[in-house]
């Protein structure tokens, strides 16, 4: 194959000519390959491999498949690491570092001779972090998810990672399970390489990138260990080379309509509430003015048709065998719920990608006429407790609690919750409303997934399985319950949540999107006078984050990272 050097490739700004810098750029690369200088597209493979991120621990092998594809299509691959965000180990919470990782991605792409990039994502925050960083550079990019784990099995039952943890620990608290059995169950959940196989945040985001058109069709559901995942990686490698030649940059795909499709798909799959924050942040990077109201408006009439845990019964493996996301998108498109003509990274439109999809199980992917939940989109609540909005996932909630009035039982922060929740004398019953403060983006730096706080053990023992819980926190996409999350503004910046006290009456009315604290304004004003902001961290990334993180309704990005800064290097190197 012959290659004609092209000045239009960014990599040629590094590699062409005989300036001293060009000699330096080429000379060191020659130790790896002689093929990078003749005008072939240079493809970065942005790899979030880490053994501390078990969900992404198989990425070295997967990256090799991408490289094979890049070579086959006449490109030259260069793999590079970026900060990996493992949900299970990283403290205080992986979300604290989503924006930091996105900076790593953005600067790694912009600062290097990269013409296009494959973003290798898996565990929850890796997907938004990489897409946010790449979007701020606006290079041709394709997202390749690592794929979900195979189903977990415990004593004849399938167990979903994450979801089972909540169920099993509730069984322990209710005195219905021994720690010995729990230890056995623990060994049954991570059966293979891959990320959580429930419709948690990782599977949701893998679906979101497919719905946005920045990942190839079938990206979301192929199990990590299925050979089709390797083939998909190879195709992604081939395709990104063509995308460079076509100058198909992210801004051509990440349009407002693409986000609208993703919001609708999220309702149909019963996706994670975390997708709200991540999509708002990604939209912010490409200058699309998307709001919580878009989520409510577009998701309101979308039925949840995918019967996966935590909303339903099955897991990602069954979802793949049933036909995966293309079936869901085809069903939505046939009902006029998707924009069909949008361009995707495959080079074809949304409709061209899904029109031939076939369902192999109407139990796992239901027809729209027989949904799991008829109005499955994320509900956006407003009222004096959340003037800038709060969210609730109807498909994971208890229908009888969607309209409820109860007395608040208040926890000032997560430590206070842990101190009080096991107390048999805690004044709480099943009609109470548990309120947790100071767990928002700034309050618990990173906005921890603690919003689905466990119920008081004395109520679990009495057979109560759900109560209304309200906080400024997030919850794991694998979790469930009637849980109001992301109250904005958060308590730590003086939002009304900070003013709630034990015994206050709270009214929730999901149908009318209302969240009301029945305390008069004069009393709230009195309480506000004694409110004190928490101390800021003294330095480091924690201080940068504290000073610049935006509220959840704006995507919790750092304010100075919003927008697309393009891929031109700020100061020419020669
Ligand atoms: Fe990584 Fe769930 S812990 S996806």
């Amino acid at each position: 194959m012959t290659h004609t050097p092209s000045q239009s490739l960014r990599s040629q700004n590094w590699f062409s000519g005989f300036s001293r810098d060009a000699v330096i750029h080429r000379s060191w690369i020659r130790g790896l390959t002689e093929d990078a200088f003749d005008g072939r597209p240079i493809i970065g493979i942005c790899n979030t491999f880490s053994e501390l991120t078990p969900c992404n621990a198989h990425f070295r092998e997967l990256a090799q498949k991408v490289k094979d594809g890049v070579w086959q299509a006449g490109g030259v691959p260069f793999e590079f690491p970026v900060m990996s965000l493992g949900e299970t180990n990283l403290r205080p919470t992986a979300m604290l570092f989503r924006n930091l990782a996105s900076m790593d991605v953005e600067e790694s792409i912009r600062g290097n001779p990269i013409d296009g990039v494959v973003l290798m994502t898996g565990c929850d925050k890796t997907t938004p972090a990489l897409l946010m960083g790449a979007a701020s550079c606006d290079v041709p990019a394709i997202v390749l998810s690592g794929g979900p784990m195979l189903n977990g099995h415990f004593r004849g039952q399938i167990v979903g990672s994450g979801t089972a943890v909540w169920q099993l620990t509730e069984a322990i608290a209710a005195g219905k399970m021994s720690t010995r059995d729990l230890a056995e169950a623990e060994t049954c959940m991570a059966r293979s390489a891959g990320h959580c196989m429930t419709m948690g945040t990782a599977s949701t985001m893998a679906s979101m990138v497919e719905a946005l058109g920045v990942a190839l069709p079938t990206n979301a559901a192929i199990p990590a260990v299925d050979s089709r995942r390797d083939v998909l990686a190879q195709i992604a490698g081939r395709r990104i080379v063509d995308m460079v030649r076509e100058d198909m940059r992210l801004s051509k795909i990440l349009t407002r309509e693409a986000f609208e499709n993703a919001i609708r798909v999220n309702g149909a799959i019963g996706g994670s509430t975390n997708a709200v924050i991540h999509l708002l942040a990604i939209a912010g990077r490409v200058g699309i003015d998307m709001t919580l109201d878009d989520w409510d408006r577009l998701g309101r009439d979308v039925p949840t048709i995918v019967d996966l845990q935590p909303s339903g019964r099955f897991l990602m493996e069954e979802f793949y065998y049933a036909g995966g996301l293309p079936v869901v998108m085809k069903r939505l498109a046939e009902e006029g719920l998707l924009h069909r003509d949008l361009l995707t990274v495959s080079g074809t439109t949304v409709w061209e990608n899904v029109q031939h999809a076939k369902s192999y199980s109407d139990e796992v992917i239901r027809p729209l006429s027989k949904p799991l939940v008829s109005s499955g989109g994320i509900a956006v609540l407003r009222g004096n407790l959340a003037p800038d909005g709060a969210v609730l996932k109807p498909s994971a909630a208890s229908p009888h609690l969607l309209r409820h009035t109860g007395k608040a039982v208040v926890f000032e922060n997560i430590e206070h919750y842990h101190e009080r929740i096991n107390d048999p004398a805690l004044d709480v019953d099943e009609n109470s409303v548990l309120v947790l403060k100071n767990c928002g983006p700034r309050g618990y730096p990173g906005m921890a997934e603690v919003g689905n706080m466990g119920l008081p053990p004395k109520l679990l023992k009495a057979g109560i399985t759900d109560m209304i819980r309200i906080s400024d926190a997030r919850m794991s996409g694998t979790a469930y319950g009637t849980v109001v999350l992301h109250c904005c503004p958060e308590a730590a910046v003086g939002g009304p949540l900070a003013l709630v006290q034990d015994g206050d009456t709270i009214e929730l009315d999901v149908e009318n999107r209302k969240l009301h604290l029945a305390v008069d304004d004069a009393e709230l004003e009195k309480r506000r006078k004694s409110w004190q902001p928490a101390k800021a961290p003294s330095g480091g990334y924690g201080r940068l984050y504290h000073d610049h993180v935006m509220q959840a309704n704006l995507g919790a990005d750092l304010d100075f990272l919003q927008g697309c800064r393009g891929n031109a290097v700020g100061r020419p190197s020669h």
Side-chain angles (χ1 to χ4, degrees), residues 163 198-200 266-267 269-272 304 306-314 366 372-373 376 393-397 477-481:
T163 302
T198 44
M199 188 52 82
N266 190 65
I269 63 175
S272 165
T304 299
V306 176
D307 193 347
L308 254 60
Q309 296 182 26
S311 299
R313 295 172 289 165
F314 300 105
R366 299 175 176 218
L372 190 66
V373 176
K393 179 174 165 181
S395 64
T478 63
Y480 48 84

Side-chain angles (χ1 to χ4, degrees), residues 186 266 303 548:
E186 179 186 310
N266 190 65
H548 292 280

